Amino acid sequence: MSSDEKDEKSHKNQSEGTTAKEPRGARRKRATRQKLINAGLALMSERGKNGVSINEITEAADVGFGSFYNHFESKDAIYDALIEEVLNSIGDAIEVATNKLEDPAAILATAIRNVMNHAQRNPVWGRFLLRTAYSSEVLTLGMGKYMMNDLLRGMDANRFNVNDPVMAFLTVGGTVLSALALSIELNESTTNPTKNNAVQVANGLGYSLENLDQRTASSVLQILGLSVEEADTIANAPLPDIKDQ
Amino acid sequence: MSSDEKDEKSHKNQSEGTTAKEPRGARRKRATRQKLINAGLALMSERGKNGVSINEITEAADVGFGSFYNHFESKDAIYDALIEEVLNSIGDAIEVATNKLEDPAAILATAIRNVMNHAQRNPVWGRFLLRTAYSSEVLTLGMGKYMMNDLLRGMDANRFNVNDPVMAFLTVGGTVLSALALSIELNESTTNPTKNNAVQVANGLGYSLENLDQRTASSVLQILGLSVEEADTIANAPLPDIKDQ
DNA sequence: ATTATCTATAGATCTATAGATAATGC
DNA sequence: ATTATCTATAGATCTATAGATAATGC
């Protein structure tokens, strides 16, 4: 009503882009919160919830210590917020990429590749995701929810050949997680001299570590009963364009 | 030299059974250390290294606080000792069980089933193992080392049909880890009312969660190219007797 | 006499809050 | 006038050590 009108009016004086008019003070508050979230994510993805003090977070965020409590009532609270943030952004990373596709195999492959690419570009995000990997809500939140849906859909449509659905889920999920872990380590080791010895072992044996996203997608499809050829074809298809994150 | 002689001599007066004669004081020290290790394992497997204070460990171990520093110079030090303890006992759990076998498929299946059974009987151990799952030494320590060997041996012998060894390792390793996580949760949920919703979802869909060790072994063998029938046969074979742990 | 454990505590670190300062909205 | 941020600090918690007590080994 009247607040709608106000919104409309001020919207015109506003640069487009942000969702809507928002008073300067509220924006400042959100910005502070976001700085805390970003700092918390960076620190806690490396050292875990209890390896980081609130003071470290506010320092890294360049925010006064007391301000922390304007946004979160405890360290647990910010950690929970981080989990939500990370799990939600998985949804974005997957949904946007797959909503034009119909073949369950292509959907699953695209979802996997997008999660892995997202983690490559954003190792902090990926590392934090790995921390939440074995939580008891794995099936109903974040990546697990999408994988579960994709798997069930493909099984219903007889697109996948699966005789033990529980093992199929564990296999697909476990494969993606371990590939994610390797891929993140690999990404770091291009900047750091590579202290990771999985990378060294693989190199020593002459194994390539390129294109892990596509290889992971292909492997998963093969596990689900597709032929090597078809799995490779689908897993190497160009990814749909997204203007994501 | 002279200390060797002493050891020999006193060895005779001692009851057989423990590795060798050991003065009462040294045994007491080892016992205290073991109490600290056990308490640390139980607490840190649940809450992680930094979620536990040294005082909590000594209280749980029923040991004076200051004694902690007779055995470990810091919290990091005991955590490292726990990692070593857990990773070494994997070796025991696997080696004893597989040293009579020749078929690489049977070796791998037996190793997987033994690790999973060991974690079932000892959830603290299993939970801690999961914490170390994605360390950068995954391939050269603990479970990864054995899996790596078993895989390479089977590939060399053409027992496994693998076109991407890196993905084979990630797939096998990831599958075992996620199956281990589910299996531990499942074990807890028989005592607790089951807050774990993966278990609830599976039950809701009518999926069985029994015999996960055998099903995991079978799935892994299928991934490595064995037929469903052969994989099931090997994965369900009786486990060799061990007087382990 | 030696070695291990215990209790007690100093000093460091961390959390949560109170009260002052600065920025925004009318 | 209100709301957000800042600085400063009290009190709680935690680590590491010192010194006392108890158990072992000659």
PDB file of all heavy atoms in Angstrom, chain B residues 29 32 63-64 67 70-71, chain C residues 3-9:
ATOM      1  N   LYS B  29      52.487 -45.780  34.036  1.00  0.00           N
ATOM      2  CA  LYS B  29      52.554 -44.629  33.135  1.00  0.00           C
ATOM      3  C   LYS B  29      51.805 -44.909  31.840  1.00  0.00           C
ATOM      4  O   LYS B  29      51.015 -44.100  31.354  1.00  0.00           O
ATOM      5  CB  LYS B  29      54.005 -44.276  32.854  1.00  0.00           C
ATOM      6  CG  LYS B  29      54.169 -42.985  32.069  1.00  0.00           C
ATOM      7  CD  LYS B  29      55.601 -42.491  32.021  1.00  0.00           C
ATOM      8  CE  LYS B  29      55.657 -41.133  31.328  1.00  0.00           C
ATOM      9  NZ  LYS B  29      57.028 -40.614  31.221  1.00  0.00           N
ATOM     10  N   THR B  32      48.088 -44.744  32.401  1.00  0.00           N
ATOM     11  CA  THR B  32      47.587 -43.371  32.455  1.00  0.00           C
ATOM     12  C   THR B  32      47.500 -42.773  31.050  1.00  0.00           C
ATOM     13  O   THR B  32      46.494 -42.153  30.674  1.00  0.00           O
ATOM     14  CB  THR B  32      48.517 -42.503  33.323  1.00  0.00           C
ATOM     15  OG1 THR B  32      48.565 -43.051  34.633  1.00  0.00           O
ATOM     16  CG2 THR B  32      48.013 -41.083  33.391  1.00  0.00           C
ATOM     17  N   VAL B  63      42.088 -38.506  35.866  1.00  0.00           N
ATOM     18  CA  VAL B  63      43.533 -38.324  36.009  1.00  0.00           C
ATOM     19  C   VAL B  63      43.763 -36.872  36.440  1.00  0.00           C
ATOM     20  O   VAL B  63      43.022 -35.985  36.020  1.00  0.00           O
ATOM     21  CB  VAL B  63      44.219 -38.612  34.662  1.00  0.00           C
ATOM     22  CG1 VAL B  63      45.598 -37.993  34.598  1.00  0.00           C
ATOM     23  CG2 VAL B  63      44.291 -40.117  34.411  1.00  0.00           C
ATOM     24  N   GLY B  64      44.721 -36.648  37.280  1.00  0.00           N
ATOM     25  CA  GLY B  64      45.020 -35.278  37.679  1.00  0.00           C
ATOM     26  C   GLY B  64      45.363 -34.402  36.487  1.00  0.00           C
ATOM     27  O   GLY B  64      46.007 -34.858  35.535  1.00  0.00           O
ATOM     28  N   SER B  67      48.935 -34.144  35.195  1.00  0.00           N
ATOM     29  CA  SER B  67      49.531 -35.353  34.616  1.00  0.00           C
ATOM     30  C   SER B  67      49.478 -35.364  33.103  1.00  0.00           C
ATOM     31  O   SER B  67      50.300 -36.001  32.443  1.00  0.00           O
ATOM     32  CB  SER B  67      48.802 -36.600  35.131  1.00  0.00           C
ATOM     33  OG  SER B  67      48.958 -36.696  36.521  1.00  0.00           O
ATOM     34  N   ASN B  70      52.665 -34.795  31.517  1.00  0.00           N
ATOM     35  CA  ASN B  70      53.677 -35.856  31.532  1.00  0.00           C
ATOM     36  C   ASN B  70      53.656 -36.663  30.242  1.00  0.00           C
ATOM     37  O   ASN B  70      54.634 -37.334  29.908  1.00  0.00           O
ATOM     38  CB  ASN B  70      53.424 -36.822  32.696  1.00  0.00           C
ATOM     39  CG  ASN B  70      53.797 -36.197  34.024  1.00  0.00           C
ATOM     40  OD1 ASN B  70      54.602 -35.270  34.076  1.00  0.00           O
ATOM     41  ND2 ASN B  70      53.200 -36.703  35.087  1.00  0.00           N
ATOM     42  N   HIS B  71      52.524 -36.594  29.524  1.00  0.00           N
ATOM     43  CA  HIS B  71      52.353 -37.475  28.375  1.00  0.00           C
ATOM     44  C   HIS B  71      52.264 -36.739  27.046  1.00  0.00           C
ATOM     45  O   HIS B  71      52.709 -37.256  26.027  1.00  0.00           O
ATOM     46  CB  HIS B  71      51.095 -38.331  28.583  1.00  0.00           C
ATOM     47  CG  HIS B  71      51.154 -39.166  29.815  1.00  0.00           C
ATOM     48  ND1 HIS B  71      51.773 -40.383  29.833  1.00  0.00           N
ATOM     49  CD2 HIS B  71      50.722 -38.957  31.076  1.00  0.00           C
ATOM     50  CE1 HIS B  71      51.697 -40.900  31.047  1.00  0.00           C
ATOM     51  NE2 HIS B  71      51.064 -40.048  31.836  1.00  0.00           N
TER      52      HIS B  71
ATOM     53  P    DT C   3      64.634 -41.120  37.300  1.00  0.00           P
ATOM     54  OP1  DT C   3      65.421 -41.817  36.268  1.00  0.00           O
ATOM     55  OP2  DT C   3      64.741 -39.649  37.479  1.00  0.00           O
ATOM     56  O5'  DT C   3      63.104 -41.471  37.064  1.00  0.00           O
ATOM     57  C5'  DT C   3      62.564 -42.714  37.527  1.00  0.00           C
ATOM     58  C4'  DT C   3      61.071 -42.568  37.698  1.00  0.00           C
ATOM     59  O4'  DT C   3      60.740 -42.092  39.031  1.00  0.00           O
ATOM     60  C3'  DT C   3      60.428 -41.569  36.724  1.00  0.00           C
ATOM     61  O3'  DT C   3      59.333 -42.199  36.085  1.00  0.00           O
ATOM     62  C2'  DT C   3      59.995 -40.412  37.621  1.00  0.00           C
ATOM     63  C1'  DT C   3      59.712 -41.146  38.934  1.00  0.00           C
ATOM     64  N1   DT C   3      59.736 -40.299  40.132  1.00  0.00           N
ATOM     65  C2   DT C   3      58.796 -40.520  41.107  1.00  0.00           C
ATOM     66  O2   DT C   3      57.948 -41.378  41.038  1.00  0.00           O
ATOM     67  N3   DT C   3      58.899 -39.690  42.204  1.00  0.00           N
ATOM     68  C4   DT C   3      59.812 -38.682  42.399  1.00  0.00           C
ATOM     69  O4   DT C   3      59.806 -38.005  43.428  1.00  0.00           O
ATOM     70  C5   DT C   3      60.759 -38.499  41.331  1.00  0.00           C
ATOM     71  C7   DT C   3      61.810 -37.417  41.442  1.00  0.00           C
ATOM     72  C6   DT C   3      60.687 -39.308  40.268  1.00  0.00           C
ATOM     73  P    DA C   4      58.407 -41.459  35.014  1.00  0.00           P
ATOM     74  OP1  DA C   4      58.200 -42.352  33.863  1.00  0.00           O
ATOM     75  OP2  DA C   4      58.920 -40.085  34.830  1.00  0.00           O
ATOM     76  O5'  DA C   4      57.046 -41.372  35.833  1.00  0.00           O
ATOM     77  C5'  DA C   4      56.406 -42.555  36.266  1.00  0.00           C
ATOM     78  C4'  DA C   4      55.139 -42.179  36.985  1.00  0.00           C
ATOM     79  O4'  DA C   4      55.492 -41.483  38.209  1.00  0.00           O
ATOM     80  C3'  DA C   4      54.230 -41.251  36.200  1.00  0.00           C
ATOM     81  O3'  DA C   4      52.907 -41.777  36.195  1.00  0.00           O
ATOM     82  C2'  DA C   4      54.326 -39.908  36.909  1.00  0.00           C
ATOM     83  C1'  DA C   4      54.731 -40.295  38.325  1.00  0.00           C
ATOM     84  N9   DA C   4      55.561 -39.296  38.990  1.00  0.00           N
ATOM     85  C8   DA C   4      56.700 -38.719  38.514  1.00  0.00           C
ATOM     86  N7   DA C   4      57.238 -37.846  39.337  1.00  0.00           N
ATOM     87  C5   DA C   4      56.388 -37.852  40.426  1.00  0.00           C
ATOM     88  C6   DA C   4      56.393 -37.143  41.647  1.00  0.00           C
ATOM     89  N6   DA C   4      57.335 -36.255  41.972  1.00  0.00           N
ATOM     90  N1   DA C   4      55.390 -37.390  42.521  1.00  0.00           N
ATOM     91  C2   DA C   4      54.463 -38.282  42.188  1.00  0.00           C
ATOM     92  N3   DA C   4      54.350 -39.014  41.069  1.00  0.00           N
ATOM     93  C4   DA C   4      55.344 -38.740  40.228  1.00  0.00           C
ATOM     94  P    DT C   5      51.730 -41.009  35.502  1.00  0.00           P
ATOM     95  OP1  DT C   5      50.865 -42.042  34.924  1.00  0.00           O
ATOM     96  OP2  DT C   5      52.281 -39.926  34.663  1.00  0.00           O
ATOM     97  O5'  DT C   5      50.969 -40.334  36.725  1.00  0.00           O
ATOM     98  C5'  DT C   5      50.512 -41.111  37.809  1.00  0.00           C
ATOM     99  C4'  DT C   5      50.151 -40.198  38.957  1.00  0.00           C
ATOM    100  O4'  DT C   5      51.328 -39.424  39.328  1.00  0.00           O
ATOM    101  C3'  DT C   5      49.074 -39.165  38.633  1.00  0.00           C
ATOM    102  O3'  DT C   5      47.863 -39.523  39.262  1.00  0.00           O
ATOM    103  C2'  DT C   5      49.605 -37.847  39.193  1.00  0.00           C
ATOM    104  C1'  DT C   5      50.878 -38.229  39.911  1.00  0.00           C
ATOM    105  N1   DT C   5      51.957 -37.213  39.781  1.00  0.00           N
ATOM    106  C2   DT C   5      52.202 -36.369  40.828  1.00  0.00           C
ATOM    107  O2   DT C   5      51.572 -36.410  41.869  1.00  0.00           O
ATOM    108  N3   DT C   5      53.219 -35.467  40.613  1.00  0.00           N
ATOM    109  C4   DT C   5      54.005 -35.344  39.488  1.00  0.00           C
ATOM    110  O4   DT C   5      54.882 -34.503  39.419  1.00  0.00           O
ATOM    111  C5   DT C   5      53.689 -36.260  38.421  1.00  0.00           C
ATOM    112  C7   DT C   5      54.467 -36.221  37.141  1.00  0.00           C
ATOM    113  C6   DT C   5      52.689 -37.144  38.609  1.00  0.00           C
ATOM    114  P    DC C   6      46.574 -38.619  39.014  1.00  0.00           P
ATOM    115  OP1  DC C   6      45.409 -39.458  39.352  1.00  0.00           O
ATOM    116  OP2  DC C   6      46.705 -38.000  37.687  1.00  0.00           O
ATOM    117  O5'  DC C   6      46.711 -37.468  40.116  1.00  0.00           O
ATOM    118  C5'  DC C   6      46.582 -37.800  41.499  1.00  0.00           C
ATOM    119  C4'  DC C   6      46.914 -36.587  42.351  1.00  0.00           C
ATOM    120  O4'  DC C   6      48.252 -36.159  42.018  1.00  0.00           O
ATOM    121  C3'  DC C   6      46.031 -35.375  42.089  1.00  0.00           C
ATOM    122  O3'  DC C   6      45.047 -35.270  43.105  1.00  0.00           O
ATOM    123  C2'  DC C   6      46.975 -34.179  42.155  1.00  0.00           C
ATOM    124  C1'  DC C   6      48.355 -34.765  42.226  1.00  0.00           C
ATOM    125  N1   DC C   6      49.279 -34.213  41.184  1.00  0.00           N
ATOM    126  C2   DC C   6      50.145 -33.186  41.525  1.00  0.00           C
ATOM    127  O2   DC C   6      50.123 -32.738  42.677  1.00  0.00           O
ATOM    128  N3   DC C   6      50.989 -32.675  40.590  1.00  0.00           N
ATOM    129  C4   DC C   6      50.979 -33.194  39.352  1.00  0.00           C
ATOM    130  N4   DC C   6      51.842 -32.686  38.461  1.00  0.00           N
ATOM    131  C5   DC C   6      50.103 -34.248  38.979  1.00  0.00           C
ATOM    132  C6   DC C   6      49.268 -34.727  39.917  1.00  0.00           C
ATOM    133  P    DT C   7      43.915 -34.135  42.909  1.00  0.00           P
ATOM    134  OP1  DT C   7      42.779 -34.583  43.739  1.00  0.00           O
ATOM    135  OP2  DT C   7      43.749 -33.877  41.467  1.00  0.00           O
ATOM    136  O5'  DT C   7      44.559 -32.822  43.550  1.00  0.00           O
ATOM    137  C5'  DT C   7      45.180 -32.855  44.832  1.00  0.00           C
ATOM    138  C4'  DT C   7      45.704 -31.465  45.167  1.00  0.00           C
ATOM    139  O4'  DT C   7      46.843 -31.158  44.303  1.00  0.00           O
ATOM    140  C3'  DT C   7      44.720 -30.322  44.963  1.00  0.00           C
ATOM    141  O3'  DT C   7      44.876 -29.393  46.020  1.00  0.00           O
ATOM    142  C2'  DT C   7      45.110 -29.742  43.607  1.00  0.00           C
ATOM    143  C1'  DT C   7      46.628 -29.932  43.642  1.00  0.00           C
ATOM    144  N1   DT C   7      47.284 -30.034  42.317  1.00  0.00           N
ATOM    145  C2   DT C   7      48.403 -29.287  42.080  1.00  0.00           C
ATOM    146  O2   DT C   7      48.883 -28.517  42.891  1.00  0.00           O
ATOM    147  N3   DT C   7      48.954 -29.458  40.829  1.00  0.00           N
ATOM    148  C4   DT C   7      48.507 -30.298  39.836  1.00  0.00           C
ATOM    149  O4   DT C   7      49.089 -30.370  38.758  1.00  0.00           O
ATOM    150  C5   DT C   7      47.322 -31.057  40.149  1.00  0.00           C
ATOM    151  C7   DT C   7      46.748 -32.000  39.138  1.00  0.00           C
ATOM    152  C6   DT C   7      46.772 -30.894  41.364  1.00  0.00           C
ATOM    153  P    DA C   8      43.885 -28.154  46.193  1.00  0.00           P
ATOM    154  OP1  DA C   8      43.632 -28.013  47.639  1.00  0.00           O
ATOM    155  OP2  DA C   8      42.783 -28.287  45.239  1.00  0.00           O
ATOM    156  O5'  DA C   8      44.808 -26.942  45.739  1.00  0.00           O
ATOM    157  C5'  DA C   8      46.197 -26.971  46.044  1.00  0.00           C
ATOM    158  C4'  DA C   8      46.864 -25.719  45.502  1.00  0.00           C
ATOM    159  O4'  DA C   8      47.418 -26.006  44.205  1.00  0.00           O
ATOM    160  C3'  DA C   8      45.936 -24.526  45.294  1.00  0.00           C
ATOM    161  O3'  DA C   8      46.663 -23.338  45.578  1.00  0.00           O
ATOM    162  C2'  DA C   8      45.559 -24.629  43.832  1.00  0.00           C
ATOM    163  C1'  DA C   8      46.878 -25.115  43.243  1.00  0.00           C
ATOM    164  N9   DA C   8      46.773 -25.837  41.978  1.00  0.00           N
ATOM    165  C8   DA C   8      45.778 -26.701  41.585  1.00  0.00           C
ATOM    166  N7   DA C   8      45.966 -27.205  40.388  1.00  0.00           N
ATOM    167  C5   DA C   8      47.157 -26.633  39.968  1.00  0.00           C
ATOM    168  C6   DA C   8      47.904 -26.763  38.778  1.00  0.00           C
ATOM    169  N6   DA C   8      47.533 -27.537  37.761  1.00  0.00           N
ATOM    170  N1   DA C   8      49.053 -26.051  38.679  1.00  0.00           N
ATOM    171  C2   DA C   8      49.414 -25.266  39.708  1.00  0.00           C
ATOM    172  N3   DA C   8      48.797 -25.067  40.871  1.00  0.00           N
ATOM    173  C4   DA C   8      47.664 -25.792  40.931  1.00  0.00           C
ATOM    174  P    DT C   9      45.945 -21.890  45.568  1.00  0.00           P
ATOM    175  OP1  DT C   9      46.412 -21.142  46.749  1.00  0.00           O
ATOM    176  OP2  DT C   9      44.501 -22.051  45.301  1.00  0.00           O
ATOM    177  O5'  DT C   9      46.621 -21.226  44.286  1.00  0.00           O
ATOM    178  C5'  DT C   9      48.023 -21.357  44.110  1.00  0.00           C
ATOM    179  C4'  DT C   9      48.420 -20.731  42.777  1.00  0.00           C
ATOM    180  O4'  DT C   9      48.264 -21.690  41.706  1.00  0.00           O
ATOM    181  C3'  DT C   9      47.585 -19.514  42.363  1.00  0.00           C
ATOM    182  O3'  DT C   9      48.422 -18.601  41.702  1.00  0.00           O
ATOM    183  C2'  DT C   9      46.603 -20.107  41.393  1.00  0.00           C
ATOM    184  C1'  DT C   9      47.547 -21.065  40.663  1.00  0.00           C
ATOM    185  N1   DT C   9      46.890 -22.111  39.841  1.00  0.00           N
ATOM    186  C2   DT C   9      47.525 -22.496  38.690  1.00  0.00           C
ATOM    187  O2   DT C   9      48.582 -22.045  38.318  1.00  0.00           O
ATOM    188  N3   DT C   9      46.855 -23.470  37.982  1.00  0.00           N
ATOM    189  C4   DT C   9      45.639 -24.050  38.308  1.00  0.00           C
ATOM    190  O4   DT C   9      45.152 -24.899  37.596  1.00  0.00           O
ATOM    191  C5   DT C   9      45.041 -23.587  39.535  1.00  0.00           C
ATOM    192  C7   DT C   9      43.728 -24.137  39.981  1.00  0.00           C
ATOM    193  C6   DT C   9      45.688 -22.642  40.228  1.00  0.00           C
TER     194       DT C   9
END
